[in-house]
């Protein structure tokens, strides 16, 4: 399952610095707007101590973590919905992502210019939100024109359902609210919402980029952001991107951990960001483990065993017979699959089994 997160925000808020911290790519970072023009693409492994523990027990030939694709998108400015700056390109790049990491500048530094002349993360958030909302309103109104006739004179039941949803989106957007504030009322509406690909319907995490002194506890700027987004279905992460970039250059794990402890942090901001993105998108992990390979796989929470099998290979889902399931804690306790089986702790599950986070699974199939 491919997961793609887009880093967005105004110019000079730390997007490219953050991108370089968390991805295998290297983006230009400079003290002027639009140093990023084409989106930078990178990927990063999803940190998971359970995979490390499994690998230590199994000693496989290879260990493969789950990955996240990261896209560093050019800075947006007021008027982007009308093509200002790199607006149209920016908006097209956002549309291709699964979730938005919205970076807000929450630090003072006279050496780094701000496109609006002063630091105000709530204002910056509203600039980006408004541009995305304007674009979504254009999309929604165009779709309303298309389906209105079908719904009112053609008697098309599906068109009526879509029209009702579109009208709720339109009302929210006209009130200055994002589409994610409109909660689908039925599974049909949920699927319709996905098919519309609206920019403000994407899950969002507000990444408050702070100075090193504020990395553990935040600051007044972060408090203002929390207050501004309290009614949104959104995540907030506090991270000192510049400091994280320095931590990423440290060679040993022990030295990195020492640096974090001195800052009052248990885990790096990068780890917290990736874990937060998983939570934001309602994702979870299951594992396959053996002598050849230990691997983490990403699925949606609530997925059943055949869907999980299909993530490995479509044939596994098509010919699914059953799944052998070991709970992670049981594997850690008994140390080997044979010992788990002997203790009667291996579950044999059918098509209706809902996969749980951390399950270790073997699939039996026939095609």
């Amino acid at each position: 399952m491919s997961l793609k997160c887009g880093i967005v925000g105004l110019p000079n808020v730390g997007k490219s610095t953050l991108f370089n911290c968390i991805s295998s790519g290297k983006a230009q970072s400079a003290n002027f707007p639009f140093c990023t023009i084409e989106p930078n693409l990178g990927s990063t492994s999803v940190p998971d101590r359970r995979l490390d523990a499994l690998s230590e027990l199994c000693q496989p030939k290879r260990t493969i973590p789950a990955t996240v694709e990261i896209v560093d998108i050019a800075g947006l400015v007021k008027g982007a919905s009308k093509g200002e700056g790199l607006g149209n390109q920016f908006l097209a790049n956002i549309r291709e992502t699964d979730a938005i990491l919205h970076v807000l500048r929450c630090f003072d530094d006279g050496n780094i210019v701000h496109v609006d002349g002063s630091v105000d993360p709530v204002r910056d958030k509203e600039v980006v939100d408004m541009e995305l909302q304007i674009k979504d309103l254009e999309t929604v109104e165009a779709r309303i024109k298309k389906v209105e006739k079908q719904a009112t004179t053609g008697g098309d039941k599906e068109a009526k359902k879509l029209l009702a949803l579109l009208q709720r989106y339109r009302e929210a957007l006209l009130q200055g609210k994002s589409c994610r504030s409109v909660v689908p009322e039925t599974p049909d509406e949920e699927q319709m919402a996905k098919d519309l690909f609206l920019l403000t319907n994407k899950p969002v995490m507000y990444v408050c980029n702070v100075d090193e002194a504020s990395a553990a506890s935040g600051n007044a700027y972060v408090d203002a952001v929390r207050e501004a987004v309290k009614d949104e279905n959104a995540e907030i992460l506090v991270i000192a991107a510049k400091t994280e970039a320095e931590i990423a250059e440290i060679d040993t794990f022990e030295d990195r951990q020492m640096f974090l402890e001195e800052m009052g942090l248990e885990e790096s901001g990068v780890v917290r960001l990736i874990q937060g993105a998983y939570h934001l998108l309602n994702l979870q992990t299951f594992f396959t483990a053996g002598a050849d390979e230990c691997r983490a796989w990403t699925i949606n929470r609530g997925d059943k065993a055949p869907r999980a099998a299909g993530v490995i290979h479509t044939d596994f889902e098509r010919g699914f017979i059953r799944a052998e399931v070991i709970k992670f804690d049981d594997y850690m306790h008994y140390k080997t699959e044979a010992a788990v089986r002997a203790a009667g702790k291996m579950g044999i599950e059918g098509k209706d089994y809902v996969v749980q986070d951390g399950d270790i699974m073997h699939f039996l199939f026939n095609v």
Side-chain angles (χ1 to χ4, degrees):
M1 172 178 227
S2 177
L3 168 63
K4 182 183 286 188
C5 294
I7 301 177
V8 307
L10 295 184
N12 289 3
V13 296
K15 300 186 306 302
S16 294
T17 302
L18 181 64
F19 172 84
N20 289 338
C21 290
I22 62 179
S23 79
S24 57
K26 285 298 175 186
Q28 183 185 5
S29 177
N31 185 24
F32 57 85
F34 307 122
C35 70
T36 300
I37 297 177
E38 292 298 322
N40 294 298
L41 303 175
S43 64
T44 188
S45 299
V46 177
D48 197 318
R49 292 175 182 172
R50 296 171 301 181
L51 181 63
D52 297 336
L54 278 175
S55 186
E56 191 172 326
L57 280 180
C58 296
Q59 295 293 307
K61 294 175 183 175
R62 57 186 178 274
T63 299
I64 305 175
T67 59
V68 176
E69 286 185 67
I70 305 294
V71 189
D72 174 29
I73 300 169
L76 176 147
V77 294
K78 197 175 292 184
S81 57
K82 304 300 180 187
E84 292 293 327
L86 300 169
N88 291 327
Q89 186 174 335
F90 175 99
L91 297 167
N93 291 331
I94 294 177
R95 203 176 295 280
E96 296 172 4
T97 64
D98 299 302
I100 295 172
L101 308 177
H102 185 164
V103 182
L104 297 168
R105 177 172 168 176
C106 294
F107 65 90
D108 294 306
D109 188 335
N111 294 318
I112 301 177
V113 297
H114 191 290
V115 289
D116 286 329
S118 62
V119 177
D120 185 341
V122 174
R123 176 202 60 208
D124 295 352
K125 169 197 171 305
E126 289 171 352
V127 168
V128 173
D129 283 352
M130 184 178 295
E131 296 304 324
L132 300 185
Q133 288 164 9
I134 290 170
K135 202 67 180 177
D136 274 351
L137 185 58
E138 290 176 7
T139 302
V140 166
E141 290 186 330
R143 288 301 300 271
I144 286 175
K145 285 181 181 178
K146 277 189 174 182
V147 301
E148 203 163 22
K149 190 173 181 180
Q150 294 171 281
T152 54
T153 61
D156 187 325
K157 291 182 179 179
E158 291 304 307
K160 284 183 179 179
K161 291 178 185 177
L162 178 57
L163 179 61
L165 179 61
L166 288 166
Q167 287 172 335
R168 284 159 57 208
Y169 280 142
R170 184 176 184 274
E171 184 179 346
L173 290 164
L174 288 173
Q175 293 173 5
K177 297 178 181 178
S178 293
C179 290
R180 72 181 70 89
S181 67
V182 177
V183 180
E185 296 175 352
T186 65
D188 282 349
E189 277 198 350
E190 194 169 336
Q191 187 57 52
M192 288 174 181
K194 288 179 182 176
D195 293 342
L196 289 168
F197 296 103
L198 296 170
L199 300 171
T200 65
N201 215 12
K202 293 181 182 295
V204 63
M205 176 189 291
Y206 293 105
V207 182
C208 296
N209 186 16
V210 299
D211 54 26
E212 183 177 326
S214 306
S217 57
N219 56 30
Y221 292 131
V222 175
D223 293 341
V225 172
R226 289 190 193 282
E227 179 64 23
V229 306
K230 65 182 180 182
D231 295 326
E232 292 189 33
N233 181 24
E235 303 266 335
I236 289 182
L237 177 78
V238 178
I239 187 169
K242 184 179 177 183
T243 306
E244 291 285 338
E246 294 171 1
I247 293 172
E249 296 297 323
I250 298 174
D251 291 332
T252 67
F253 173 80
E254 291 76 14
D255 287 343
R256 287 196 295 272
Q257 286 302 115
M258 190 180 301
F259 197 141
L260 288 170
E261 287 171 10
E262 288 174 0
M263 293 172 62
L265 298 172
E266 292 182 10
E267 289 185 304
S268 75
V270 170
V271 170
R272 290 182 287 118
L273 186 146
I274 296 168
Q275 291 172 343
Y278 256 51
H279 182 262
L280 186 69
L281 288 164
N282 204 28
L283 300 175
Q284 65 179 15
T285 303
F286 76 91
F287 303 100
T288 51
D292 287 333
E293 177 183 283
C294 282
R295 184 162 182 169
W297 303 89
T298 301
I299 57 171
N300 295 301
R301 290 189 183 276
D303 278 353
K304 293 183 178 180
R307 179 66 61 87
V311 172
I312 299 175
H313 198 288
T314 52
D315 284 351
F316 286 22
E317 182 173 9
R318 187 158 53 90
F320 179 90
I321 298 173
R322 65 180 183 271
E324 298 177 342
V325 183
I326 302 173
K327 297 303 176 185
F328 176 79
D329 288 345
D330 287 336
Y331 205 113
M332 289 299 102
H333 178 75
Y334 292 102
K335 308 299 183 187
T336 68
E337 184 179 314
V340 171
R341 194 186 296 271
K345 292 292 186 178
M346 177 181 285
I348 306 299
E349 305 291 352
K351 292 182 178 180
D352 291 330
Y353 176 70
V354 178
V355 180
Q356 302 299 302
D357 187 49
D359 279 352
I360 300 155
M361 307 187 74
H362 291 167
F363 299 103
L364 284 79
F365 70 100
N366 183 32
V367 289

